[in-house]
Amino acid sequence: MTHTNASASDYAVSTHGLCKRYGRDTALDQVGLRVPDGAVYVLVGVNGAGKSTLFKLLMNLERPDAGTAEVFGLDTGRAGSEVRAQVGYVPDRQDAPYRSMTSARLLRHAAAFYPKWDHAYADHLTHALGVPPQQRVGGLSKGETRRLQLVLALAHRPPLLLLDEPTDGLDPVVRRRALALLAEHLADAPTTVLMSTHHVHEVESLADHVGVLRDGRLVAQMTREELRRTVRSYQLEVPDGWAPGELHAVELRRSSAGRDVRCTLVGEEQQVTQRLTASGARVRQVSTLALEDAALAFLSEDAS
Amino acid sequence: MTTTQELQGADGRTQRERPPVPRLRDVLRAQLRATGFALRVPVVLAAAFAVLATLNVVLGVISRDGVTNIHAEPSPLPGFIGALLPLAVWAREEHFGAGFLWTLPVDRRRHALIKVLAGWLWMMGGVALYALWLLVLALVSGGEVLPVESLMILSAPGRPSSPVDPALLQTVQWAPGLLIWAVPFAMATATYLCGSALVLGIHRPLRWVVGAVIVFAVASTAAHLASPLLGLGWLEGAPESVVSRLFEGRYGLEALITLRTWSLDTRATLTTGEVVQIWSAVPDLHEWVIAAALWTGAGLLALWAAASRHRERRA
Amino acid sequence: MLVTLDSRDDRPLYLQIVDQVRRALLDGTLRAEDPLPSVRELAGELVVNPRTVSQAYRELEGEGVIYIRRGQGTFVAPNIHPDRRERRPLVRGVAERALIEARRNGLGVEELVTMIRELAAEDGGERSPSTTAVRSGEEGGAA
């Protein structure tokens, strides 16, 4: 096997210099996403950071202005239909199609497009998520529509799930049930997940990869372990007039009260501590951050 | 139960089959079902209309003790239905933007054409029922199935001066034969293709239709005003002649949906005081075949162009 | 067996699961040849990545604490006898966390040990921590 073959198949999703503009607005800027096969990759970013655009480009629903994207080694622009056959997609929009069909009829319709559709599993999901099968799609509540979209995405057991805010509009109980079903889904068959969510803490124990999108740029991308190891909160006691100096480059967030300074810094703990000590600060405590706090640190105002 | 083992396998390089794209025949079947579902309201309306029309005909037959013949002048109804049906087929479909249809694993241009095909198959079924309905009415009432019409033709060329001298008229037998049964199918197909191209290719087709009418009115007025000023005599009425060729010409829209029976005959008063239909010529089925072929061809080209707006690949 | 994860716990999730299984063995909630929940069940229940669960099970399997019977599931090893040696990693973990917490608050080791002794004396030693754990563990197992 040649090197290129190996690297292409190691990633479920990989993009190279992906750019997308809408008029003057830059939605995506040189995005190089790498989602390893089998990963649960969580994409973090504020609204308008480009998450939904990225999903649409991967589905070939829109065309990039520059760059390429591959899903399991298939170019999304050249093999759009083949790519979509690998994907279960929950779109950002929360309106279901064919409003006059019942949920059951819509599911039967969708089943025709996926030869691997698992009818029994679709029934199980419909039941577990509480989607009323005989209700017209147009009469479903926002949350019920979202649940129906989840069934549509999962029921053909695709190797890749693209979930754009999958738990948006769901109440907390259903959110947890949906994520539990997702965990079981992952146990049943090898599946790669790329998801965006506003509720990062909920996927804390599911995610093993994290990417942070900020103004269309992917400012951080690493494994959960790497994030835990290299993004930590340092509590310092500093002398009067202390300046962080070169540490500024790795600083994500800082708050201070008198001589107590708390800051979030990027880097191996040992090296960061050495540099802090050299700058005259005394490190009183170092603590790891929850996934959400670590990811959000990249979005704080101080982050460069 | 044994997921530990399975996951160990998943942690290493997984050798799995790629999920296949659906077979086109399954896509067509699914779209036939979905389109049929989308068309159920128009179908119910059509059925109600058919019942009323049947009642009307039956009552007429009973009261006047008459028969229902198949007429050589075809009804333009299939043509109108063909033109409007694409609106119903695509009504629930968000075909511009990231609609559900486009998230399915089918090449988008192909998918659009399959959906058009599904609508066409339903329409052909509908037209067949319509033809059958006519046939049954004619047979049951003891009428003619293959029409033969007696047309009064003005033997002298030019427009008939009113009142018309009956001596100038000549009666001709017109028997279009079996081909007359192909007319509703072909006209519906041609108008359906053109309508589909319009609906699929442009964002808001109704606005474009209204816009085209406005553009025509403005152009016509401008030509009328400008031709004496510029000294260009041919400009006067040029927009009208283009449009009339499109609609009433030898291969125009009217030829397609009425065999020109609208433009060829006029009502005239004879010197005897009788009012009759006078034809300037016998409708020509060969010309109609060419008109149908032209409109169908144009519709196919336009449809291909419209569907190509939704293609996957980057240019 | 009732596994609960603590989001404030700094350790990797799979180690938390490993520890909870060890604890269940010590307090008797889990005994030899008992079945463990499948990876799928536990992943769904805890909403964790199934890989985390299988990593924990692999770790336990490597230690000989559990074994996998093909097509039937995961079971506690037949010859498991929780003894002093098994308790050691658990005690160590508890002590480590207490020590970290003490340092975080600027307390010394001696102060901490003294206070633990005092508290235990106040309790009177009637409700030993281990019996409490057994009771709650059994409730959990039945649920």
Side-chain angles (χ1 to χ4, degrees), chain A residues 9-10 37 56 59-61 63-64 67 72-78 80-82 84-86 89 93 97-101 105-106 109-110 112-116 152 159 186-188 190, chain B residues 3 6-7 10 13-14 16-23 26-27 30-31 33-34 37 40 92-94 98-108 111 115 309-315:
Chain A
S9 56
D10 279 345
D37 199 357
K56 281 185 195 142
M59 289 290 283
N60 201 30
L61 294 172
R63 295 168 195 172
F72 295 115
L74 295 166
D75 186 291
T76 54
R78 278 178 222 285
S81 53
E82 284 93 334
R84 289 193 296 275
Q86 324 293 314
Y89 175 51
R93 51 193 303 165
Y98 306 129
R99 298 170 56 79
S100 46
M101 284 189 184
R105 182 182 276 270
L106 177 60
H109 175 68
F113 293 87
Y114 300 98
K116 302 267 173 186
L152 284 168
L186 298 181
D188 286 341
Chain B
T3 27
E6 287 162 19
L7 273 159
R13 292 296 315 129
T14 43
R16 59 164 167 254
E17 282 175 53
R18 270 189 188 143
V21 294
R23 290 175 306 180
D26 292 336
V27 176
Q31 285 302 352
R33 257 184 264 128
F37 186 76
R40 72 205 185 295
R92 288 285 178 209
E93 215 63 80
E94 191 199 341
F100 175 74
L101 183 74
W102 304 140
T103 68
L104 294 168
V106 186
D107 179 83
R108 286 206 292 273
H111 206 171
K115 199 169 171 69
R309 286 198 67 182
H310 304 282
R311 71 188 178 280
E312 300 265 346
R313 272 163 226 208
R314 276 162 259 166

Side-chain angles (χ1 to χ4, degrees), chain A residues 94-110 131-149 152, chain B residues 37 40 92 100:
Chain A
Q94 301 204 358
D95 53 340
Y98 306 129
R99 298 170 56 79
S100 46
M101 284 189 184
T102 62
S103 305
R105 182 182 276 270
L106 177 60
L107 286 168
R108 275 201 305 280
H109 175 68
V131 179
Q134 294 311 323
Q135 176 112 6
R136 279 175 56 255
V137 171
L140 295 178
S141 72
K142 219 175 177 186
E144 285 168 335
T145 308
R146 204 63 176 156
R147 290 179 247 165
L148 177 60
Q149 288 174 322
L152 284 168
Chain B
F37 186 76
R40 72 205 185 295
R92 288 285 178 209
F100 175 74

Side-chain angles (χ1 to χ4, degrees), chain A residues 197-232:
Chain A
T197 181
H198 283 128
H199 307 278
V200 182
H201 61 276
E202 285 180 346
V203 296
E204 168 101 47
S205 47
L206 273 173
D208 50 24
H209 285 72
V210 185
V212 182
L213 264 182
R214 183 178 169 153
D215 299 331
R217 288 188 311 116
L218 195 63
V219 291
Q221 169 167 250
M222 56 187 92
T223 65
R224 176 74 185 100
E225 279 317 303
E226 197 181 344
L227 187 72
R228 185 198 295 279
R229 209 178 63 238
T230 61
V231 180
R232 296 195 159 172

Side-chain angles (χ1 to χ4, degrees), chain C residues 12-74:
Chain C
L13 288 173
Y14 86 95
L15 281 182
Q16 292 190 44
I17 296 173
V18 167
D19 268 11
Q20 299 228 3
V21 172
R22 281 209 193 104
R23 197 176 306 157
L25 285 168
L26 279 181
D27 66 28
T29 321
L30 274 181
R31 302 207 179 102
E33 295 288 2
D34 276 354
L36 268 78
S38 71
V39 171
R40 184 182 197 273
E41 282 164 4
L42 200 54
E45 193 183 308
L46 301 174
V47 192
V48 300
N49 196 316
R51 286 183 175 200
T52 307
V53 180
S54 39
Q55 196 182 358
Y57 279 13
R58 268 205 302 280
E59 176 95 9
L60 289 164
E61 197 191 3
E63 291 173 9
V65 177
I66 62 171
Y67 71 101
I68 291 159
R69 208 182 287 159
R70 215 163 246 292
Q72 293 182 46
T74 310

Side-chain angles (χ1 to χ4, degrees), chain C residues 109-119:
Chain C
V109 178
E110 280 311 314
E111 277 176 283
L112 177 68
V113 173
T114 313
M115 184 51 72
I116 289 176
R117 290 230 168 82
E118 275 177 33
L119 280 174

